[in-house]
Amino acid sequence: MEIGIDSFAAILPDPISGKLPSATERMAELIEEVVVADRVGLDVFGIGEHHREEFLDSAPTVILAAAAARTSRIRLTSAVTVLSAADPVRVFQEFATLDLISAGRAEVVAGRGSFVEAYPLFGLDTRDYDDLFAEKLDLFLQLGETTNVTWEGRFRPALKGQGVFPRPHQPRLPIWIGVGGTPQSFVRAGALGLPLMIAIIGGSFERFRPLVDLYREAGARAGHSPEVLKVGVHAMGFVGETDIGARDAFFPGWAHLTSKIGRERGWSPPSRQQFDVMAGPDGAFLVGNPKTVAAKMLRASETLGGVSRITFQMSTASLDTAAMKQSIELLGNEVAPIVRQA
């Protein structure tokens, strides 16, 4: 199992003063987090894509390229690239360039995005939400196969054999499909034979097993071998010296963001009791001491029939930079050995 971290480059107000930290300082801290993850032997670091004031990740490939220059081993990926709202040619060029800078460590997790701000920002209609993704994914996959593409669609001018450069360092740029809870998304990823990254940000791991089964069944029907049908999990996670210490470090930032987003979406205000249930044995939050977190990761993999990658969304704890770095070190030095040995 590969183990890593995903960040949305969250910029959160101090819980006491209410003041926001400097965006410049937060970005420097984020790059340092990637450096620490590389040093302690984690496998992957992902940067999300959002176009909202509480996140600094609207240009994830720029952040990943800065991290590539300061790291040597860790794989660098998006989490996710909102391909529906982008030009696939430009996205391919950016990640191919990142792959050259990192000497073959770039990956793409392509998705539709759980926020819709990118669509009106770039002049797109949210009514075309799924059609945009299907068409642009088709083009993006073709760009990975050949330099000169002939292609025509509804949402982008046709390509008539133009060359798309640069080409990546790797023979083929790895592409995962990022999904939430829509059955059709799982089936599409399976039919295409692409690895799957599931965003599990609440509830339990068990409720996703039927969807994972759909993915594997669709892949088998399309003739893809089980080896290519990889399943990854993106989950809320944080590691501390103790269970209560990890929860106390993670909860304030999680509660702040969840409250803000919840007001927009009509959710009930989050509570500490609700959080503690999700961080407990049956919930989907990987929050606790190293042994607690390792055991929960292994149970999650068993529940889902085998998981190839788990990435921790821990950026809501970014208010405490020392705790963030310690969490990354604990994940690499204590959690990862337990999981890998098992």
Side-chain angles (χ1 to χ4, degrees), residues 311-324:
T311 56
F312 283 56
Q313 170 50 268
M314 58 171 65
S315 58
T316 52
S318 61
L319 286 171
D320 188 337
T321 57
M324 278 288 291

Side-chain angles (χ1 to χ4, degrees), residues 37-315:
D38 184 58
R39 175 169 54 79
V40 300
L42 292 177
D43 299 293
V44 61
F45 203 108
I47 301 292
E49 179 189 342
H50 299 84
H51 302 270
R52 299 171 58 93
E53 65 177 345
E54 62 266 35
F55 303 116
L56 300 175
D57 58 354
S58 63
T61 49
V62 177
I63 301 173
L64 291 169
R70 294 191 54 195
T71 57
S72 61
R73 192 197 57 81
I74 197 166
R75 297 193 67 76
L76 302 166
T77 184
S78 56
V80 304
T81 293
V82 185
L83 189 61
S84 309
D87 181 348
V89 173
R90 197 67 179 130
V91 172
F92 183 85
Q93 291 174 324
E94 290 171 352
F95 277 92
T97 303
L98 172 64
D99 204 47
L100 296 175
I101 294 170
S102 65
R105 293 184 282 134
E107 297 184 1
V108 181
V109 179
R112 297 176 298 182
S114 60
F115 295 94
V116 297
E117 287 83 2
Y119 292 82
L121 183 64
F122 298 113
L124 300 167
D125 193 330
T126 54
R127 290 175 294 184
D128 297 321
Y129 185 74
D130 191 63
D131 291 342
L132 280 162
F133 182 69
E135 178 178 299
K136 292 185 177 188
L137 178 62
D138 173 66
L139 174 54
F140 194 67
L141 293 173
Q142 290 189 46
L143 292 169
E145 296 294 331
T146 182
T147 303
N148 299 83
V149 175
T150 299
W151 176 92
E152 187 172 350
R154 289 174 54 202
F155 301 107
R156 188 200 185 282
L159 292 174
K160 301 178 180 179
Q162 300 99 315
V164 177
F165 305 102
R167 305 308 295 177
H169 175 89
Q170 298 173 88
R172 181 176 295 178
L173 194 63
I175 301 169
W176 296 63
I177 300 297
V179 298
T182 307
Q184 294 87 342
S185 297
F186 286 78
V187 171
R188 172 165 46 209
L192 292 170
L194 294 172
L196 184 76
M197 180 57 69
I198 314 168
I200 302 180
I201 58 173
S204 66
F205 294 110
E206 284 81 359
R207 72 184 183 93
F208 284 86
R209 179 58 188 265
L211 296 169
V212 172
D213 290 342
L214 273 178
Y215 164 70
R216 291 182 171 129
E217 290 163 6
R221 285 196 303 270
H224 301 296
S225 68
E227 290 75 23
V228 304
L229 299 173
K230 297 179 181 180
V231 174
V233 170
H234 158 104
M236 296 290 181
F238 194 79
V239 190
E241 294 284 358
T242 65
D243 287 348
I244 190 65
R247 293 184 186 188
D248 288 346
F250 193 77
F251 175 75
W254 173 83
H256 173 81
L257 278 181
T258 304
S259 296
K260 182 172 183 179
I261 295 166
R263 286 192 295 271
E264 298 173 8
R265 300 186 178 186
W267 299 344
S268 299
S271 68
R272 178 60 188 254
Q273 182 181 16
Q274 175 190 12
F275 172 83
D276 286 338
V277 168
M278 287 189 284
D282 298 323
F285 285 5
L286 302 171
V287 178
N289 71 51
K291 289 183 179 179
T292 296
V293 170
K296 203 166 184 182
M297 291 171 69
L298 293 170
R299 286 199 303 273
S301 182
E302 182 180 3
T303 297
L304 296 174
V307 168
S308 299
R309 175 181 290 180
I310 292 182
T311 56
F312 283 56
Q313 170 50 268
M314 58 171 65
S315 58

